[in-house]
Amino acid sequence: MVSRVIPVDKFDLVIFGGTGDLARRKILPGLHRRYLAGQMPEGAQIVGAARAVLDDQGYRDMVREAITEFGDAEDQDEAKLAAFLEHVQYLPIDAMGEKGWEKLAKMIRPGMIHAYYFSVGPSLFGELAERLQLYGMADENCRIVVEKPFGRDLESARELNKVLAAHFDESQIYRIDHYLGKETVQNLMAVRFANILFEPLWNAQYVDHIQITVAETVGVGGRGAYYDKSGAMRDMVQNHLMQLLCLIAMEPPSRFGPDEVRDEKLKVIRALEPVDPHHIVRGQYNADGKEQSYRDDAGDPKSLTESFIALKCHISNWRWSGTPFYIRTGKKLKARESEIVVVFKDAPHLIFGQSSGQHCNTLTIRLQPNEGMTLGVTIKDPGPGGMRLIDVPLDMTFAEALGEEGSDGPDAYERLIMDVMRGNQTLFMRGDEVEAAWGWTDPIIAGWEERGEVPKPYEVGSSGPEDAMMLMHRDGRRWREIKE
Ligand code: NAD
């Protein structure tokens, strides 16, 4: 078997925003897991840099707590945790002022990889970029990692790209979309491009439609004020769902290289047609006695922001012309589930008769929970009773199929951070891709704003507003049930 842990060279990683929620929840536990997996080299240095006034020990205590709270239970070996924490340091810094910068420049060691993780709000990206340059840390070998949201429309995304491009080359900028770091997403590419089986069928001639669902059970909770300025379209569709759509729809790249893959994704985004307003359903969750409504959570009784969206879109190119893509995402839904379903057309002629129960084939790609893929095939119902047909799943749940190897892989953040260290941008968004995605979303959002549309209410724990069901029913299709 090919080794699962590809070593990375010695690095200095500075996490701006190192005391924040994302650092505590994902980045630091992820680095700890990579350390346990043996991927973090001896001599690697992690510097938390944020506003809080802490010393190294105070920060290590915070990191320890974060790993205990958000890391895996089986990874809590005290001696190994202590050894990991030796790699960790802290520096109080002000992104908007000069405090801490000279000291940081001295901590950065020559002759190794330098990565700067901007785990702070986007309004600080420019400040950080400028000061990294000013204090001599923006050398040509360094990398910066930037978090979502990358802008809130085309204009602000362009502005951010411009600010970053003033100090860094595109090859140094890693725009994270953690969906791209998921095992199944990469497996989707492997299934498509390493097997001859699927690709000949992967087009409008054989695919009836494609569904992409990202359902969450959580509401907007404490993030209500932030979310209310964003909504499901900006927060989820423009980035995560569009990335999934691109990977499903793109042409095979000539090789699995960063620009080859991203060129193909960009072509998909550029081929997306404007969306007919009748093909968009927006929703807001209602209060249900126990839980608050979206408007309560957002702190605005008149909010018109959507916590749910479903839409139908089309890609105008030779491969996909005529095949609709239905996408939906929302909060406080029935279950937490991310899934892509490729629904193939019916066999051209049913030799077993209408009553046999023949169904179309489906390929289901589950991102969470239970990452894996299922191919729905039709077989004969065993036993007597004539030719009755049933659907059975050919199931490839990674944890089952691959045992420990399948369940124990790095999570999305871990994988992506190690890709940064390796200098591999394949799973990161390029500036033109992000702009093209906003270029498609902006007019859709402007449309409903101009029309003053009010999102439809939906029940907490449901599958979204009734109208979202109708969006498919009208076409004689239906959504897959949202379930754990
Ligand atoms: P947070 O508010 O929890 O943390 C912000 C961090 O930035 C803190 O460490 C704070 O000290 C630091 N900071 C703020 N102003 C500073 C300044 N002037 N100088 C130096 N440091 C400063 O935020 P978060 O939830 O960790 O999010 C960070 C970024 O990641 C945001 O862009 C957010 O949109 C994005 N993001 C977060 C999540 C998540 O799950 N939390 C998920 C996806 C993307």
Side-chain angles (χ1 to χ4, degrees):
M1 177 169 293
V2 180
S3 166
R4 295 172 61 222
V5 176
I6 305 168
V8 298
D9 292 332
K10 254 197 238 180
F11 60 79
D12 284 339
L13 167 64
V14 179
I15 309 171
F16 293 109
T19 59
D21 183 64
L22 182 68
R24 293 175 52 253
R25 234 176 239 283
K26 292 289 180 190
I27 304 172
L28 292 159
L31 285 164
H32 174 238
R33 287 242 302 160
R34 288 297 88 207
Y35 174 79
L36 295 180
Q39 200 172 19
M40 224 175 86
E42 270 309 309
Q45 172 179 250
I46 299 163
V47 181
R51 261 189 315 202
V53 180
L54 288 173
D55 58 11
D56 284 347
Q57 194 48 50
Y59 187 60
R60 286 179 186 154
D61 291 345
M62 198 213 81
V63 176
R64 177 191 294 274
E65 260 171 47
I67 289 170
T68 312
E69 188 175 353
F70 300 113
D72 293 338
E74 67 270 21
D75 290 344
Q76 309 284 348
D77 179 303
E78 180 47 42
K80 288 183 185 157
L81 179 53
F84 168 74
L85 290 174
E86 299 210 342
H87 293 266
V88 177
Q89 301 186 55
Y90 183 75
L91 181 73
I93 205 159
D94 183 6
M96 318 259 287
E98 308 317 311
K99 180 181 155 191
W101 287 92
E102 273 180 17
K103 192 153 178 214
L104 182 62
K106 287 195 190 115
M107 290 169 90
I108 299 301
R109 301 164 299 172
M112 57 188 72
I113 296 164
H114 301 143
Y116 303 101
Y117 201 128
F118 291 10
S119 182
V120 294
S123 61
L124 294 180
F125 290 179
E127 303 278 351
L128 291 176
E130 207 167 290
R131 285 185 173 76
L132 282 171
Q133 175 110 67
L134 195 67
Y135 288 88
M137 286 175 271
D139 63 67
E140 60 194 19
N141 295 319
C142 79
R143 290 123 215 217
I144 60 166
V145 185
V146 295
E147 266 298 335
K148 86 165 208 190
F150 199 85
R152 67 179 317 274
D153 53 22
L154 177 56
E155 196 188 335
S156 53
R158 271 193 184 138
E159 196 47 46
L160 274 181
N161 274 336
K162 221 161 80 189
V163 161
L164 297 180
H167 306 285
F168 301 97
D169 186 70
E170 181 61 33
S171 63
Q172 298 175 279
I173 305 171
Y174 291 71
R175 295 175 195 76
I176 278 214
D177 184 324
H178 71 274
Y179 269 61
L180 291 180
K182 286 181 182 288
E183 184 71 19
T184 326
V185 168
Q186 290 167 74
N187 228 319
L188 171 60
M189 288 191 270
V191 164
R192 278 196 64 191
F193 304 132
N195 296 285
I196 199 159
L197 215 55
F198 296 104
E199 207 46 30
L201 304 180
W202 211 261
N203 56 50
Q205 196 185 342
Y206 294 105
V207 175
D208 177 72
H209 73 278
I210 288 171
Q211 311 185 6
I212 304 177
T213 299
V214 175
E216 298 179 284
T217 48
V218 293
V220 294
R223 292 201 311 143
Y226 155 78
Y227 187 91
D228 202 46
K229 293 196 201 83
S230 167
M233 186 71 169
R234 288 190 170 97
D235 192 50
M236 297 297 289
V237 175
Q238 185 274 343
N239 39 63
H240 305 318
L241 279 91
M242 279 191 71
Q243 287 295 323
L244 298 181
L245 183 140
C246 284
L247 294 175
I248 281 280
M250 72 184 190
E251 295 300 316
S254 58
R255 65 179 196 101
F256 191 53
D259 279 327
E260 287 82 352
V261 170
R262 296 183 302 175
D263 285 347
E264 296 305 335
K265 288 198 295 168
L266 180 62
K267 284 186 208 159
V268 173
I269 302 174
R270 289 189 174 152
L272 274 167
E273 289 176 15
V275 178
D276 180 334
H278 296 104
H279 297 160
I280 305 170
V281 179
R282 296 161 67 237
Q284 272 181 349
Y285 55 83
N286 261 336
D288 73 343
K290 280 184 291 186
E291 311 219 30
Q292 299 207 106
S293 69
Y294 172 77
R295 288 179 171 187
D296 290 335
D297 279 344
D300 176 0
K302 292 194 179 134
S303 169
L304 295 180
T305 305
E306 75 286 354
S307 60
F308 173 96
I309 188 163
L311 53 87
K312 173 165 89 164
C313 53
H314 287 276
I315 298 171
S316 42
N317 62 18
W318 273 48
R319 186 187 283 267
W320 293 118
S321 182
T323 296
F325 287 70
Y326 299 88
I327 62 185
R328 66 176 165 169
T329 180
K331 299 206 174 279
K332 291 255 172 133
L333 297 178
K334 208 171 173 181
R336 177 170 172 264
E337 177 203 87
S338 302
E339 193 177 80
I340 305 167
V341 190
V342 181
V343 180
F344 292 92
K345 289 189 174 166
D346 289 339
H349 172 62
L350 304 181
I351 66 165
F352 303 111
Q354 291 295 346
S355 59
S356 63
Q358 184 157 357
H359 291 105
C360 56
N361 298 118
T362 53
L363 177 69
T364 305
I365 301 135
R366 275 191 317 276
L367 278 77
Q368 66 189 21
N370 311 324
E371 287 192 59
M373 294 192 198
T374 309
L375 182 64
V377 292
T378 304
I379 61 162
K380 178 187 171 297
D381 196 3
M387 189 55 93
R388 283 175 291 107
L389 302 175
I390 53 165
D391 277 345
V392 290
L394 288 182
D395 198 337
M396 199 178 73
T397 306
F398 297 149
E400 277 170 25
L402 306 175
E404 256 195 24
E405 298 280 329
S407 60
D408 199 29
D411 95 346
Y413 271 94
E414 293 168 46
R415 181 193 315 278
L416 292 173
I417 295 170
M418 290 300 122
D419 277 359
V420 173
M421 299 311 172
R422 279 193 287 266
N424 184 349
Q425 288 185 304
T426 310
L427 300 174
F428 295 82
M429 294 178 297
R430 210 168 53 191
D432 51 2
E433 241 185 290
V434 180
E435 289 187 13
W438 282 121
W440 180 72
T441 21
D442 273 5
I444 300 175
I445 296 172
W448 73 56
E449 284 178 354
E450 269 161 35
R451 295 188 297 275
E453 277 172 16
V454 181
K456 306 273 190 282
Y458 63 93
E459 300 306 316
V460 169
S462 69
S463 302
E466 243 345 271
D467 289 23
M469 300 297 136
M470 290 313 296
L471 179 71
M472 286 196 93
H473 281 187
R474 278 202 303 266
D475 297 345
R477 302 183 173 107
R478 61 195 169 100
W479 293 103
R480 291 265 299 204
E481 198 188 330
I482 296 176
K483 53 180 188 295
E484 288 280 356

